[in-house]
Amino acid sequence: MTYFFIKQECSMNWTERLKEEFLSGWKPFEVAWVVIFLAAQIIAYVLMPDSPLGMISGIAGILCVVFVSKGKISNYFFGLIFAYTYFYVSWGSNFLGEMNTALYVYIPSQFIGYFMWKQNMQNDDGGESVIAKALTPKGWAILLVSVAIGTLCFVQALKAAGGSSTTLDGLTTIITVAAQLLMILRYREQWLLWIVLNVLSILLWQGQPAMYLMYSAYLLNSLYGYYNWTKLVKVESH
């Protein structure tokens, strides 16, 4: 009997934690934003059913970035779904840079990021959010030099492998790696890289409505993410 009550209490605690993680701290415009873009993904697929995986990837990706912008650790659950589906969508389009990014960056990052964030959470706005940091001038210099050198080297590798849109594909891949690293390390400036990446990715995926809509949603979310993480940095500094 005692075991039953302990088990029931643990189950209730997990239920409350999940409710807090997924449902707490939402503003009305955030809810409206998510509903509108998820509906747009579904409608785009119904009108132009290019790829079921593309639609799934788009939906999971939107949910992932929204939860990242709110600093919620549950983003990594949706990120894992996005990473696996995005790998196959990129493979089908022969975007070798994007494909390798999904396989060697997105997928491992979901596991690494979860454990990195788990140790650095704070109570904020009715729920838990990550403790954010800001880059120093030295950090910015290292970041920009690394992106420039990495892009030059990776574009040459893509050309040798016979990839499509190698310059754009290579640039977006290196920016993705840098932004993902900043995200794992909890730096606010990841959002500035995501903004650049989303603009370039809209150009890269213009032929596929689901991917085009997904990156358009990402762009708007990146602007909000930078704003919200700036507040998280201020909360942490106090």
Side-chain angles (χ1 to χ4, degrees), residues 130-214:
V130 72
I131 299 172
K133 300 184 292 184
L135 278 179
T136 61
K138 179 181 178 181
W140 264 112
I142 294 172
L143 174 65
L144 294 175
V145 170
S146 299
V147 169
I149 295 175
T151 299
L152 289 173
C153 294
F154 196 59
V155 166
Q156 295 306 313
L158 290 176
K159 287 180 179 178
S164 304
S165 302
T166 53
T167 301
L168 190 56
D169 191 14
L171 178 58
T172 56
T173 299
I174 296 302
I175 292 176
T176 298
V177 172
Q180 194 72 44
L181 181 60
L182 291 181
M183 173 186 162
I184 290 173
L185 297 176
R186 301 176 287 110
Y187 281 104
R188 171 191 63 186
E189 286 73 15
Q190 61 163 302
W191 293 108
L192 299 177
L193 293 185
W194 290 128
I195 289 170
V196 174
L197 174 70
N198 293 329
V199 171
L200 295 174
S201 295
I202 288 171
L203 299 175
L204 184 67
W205 288 102
Q206 282 192 51
Q208 296 196 28
M211 293 292 101
Y212 183 85
L213 275 172
M214 183 183 74

Side-chain angles (χ1 to χ4, degrees), residues 13-185:
N13 287 340
W14 270 105
T15 302
E16 290 301 314
R17 288 180 66 181
L18 288 174
K19 282 178 61 179
E20 183 180 272
E21 177 65 24
F22 288 105
L23 302 178
S24 67
W26 286 88
K27 298 178 177 66
F29 85 90
E30 292 174 339
V31 175
W33 186 93
V34 172
V35 170
I36 289 170
F37 275 100
L38 290 182
Q41 280 284 342
I42 296 170
I43 292 170
Y45 177 72
V46 171
L47 295 178
M48 299 182 66
D50 55 332
S51 167
L53 277 181
M55 184 189 69
I56 294 171
S57 182
I59 290 173
I62 287 172
L63 291 173
C64 174
V65 297
V66 169
F67 276 83
V68 175
S69 70
K70 292 178 66 60
K72 287 184 173 288
I73 199 169
S74 50
N75 79 83
Y76 289 107
F77 168 73
F78 298 108
L80 197 58
I81 298 172
F82 162 75
Y84 278 110
T85 53
Y86 190 69
F87 168 79
Y88 287 105
V89 173
S90 299
W91 189 2
S93 296
N94 195 36
F95 290 155
L96 302 182
E98 296 293 294
M99 183 184 75
N100 283 284
T101 299
L103 184 60
Y104 297 113
V105 179
Y106 284 147
I107 293 175
S109 292
Q110 307 314 307
F111 299 100
I112 297 169
Y114 175 82
F115 290 107
M116 293 285 285
W117 279 35
K118 188 68 176 175
Q119 307 302 318
N120 295 279
M121 302 299 290
Q122 62 186 343
N123 291 319
D124 176 57
D125 198 21
E128 275 196 332
S129 60
V130 72
I131 299 172
K133 300 184 292 184
L135 278 179
T136 61
K138 179 181 178 181
W140 264 112
I142 294 172
L143 174 65
L144 294 175
V145 170
S146 299
V147 169
I149 295 175
T151 299
L152 289 173
C153 294
F154 196 59
V155 166
Q156 295 306 313
L158 290 176
K159 287 180 179 178
S164 304
S165 302
T166 53
T167 301
L168 190 56
D169 191 14
L171 178 58
T172 56
T173 299
I174 296 302
I175 292 176
T176 298
V177 172
Q180 194 72 44
L181 181 60
L182 291 181
M183 173 186 162
I184 290 173
L185 297 176

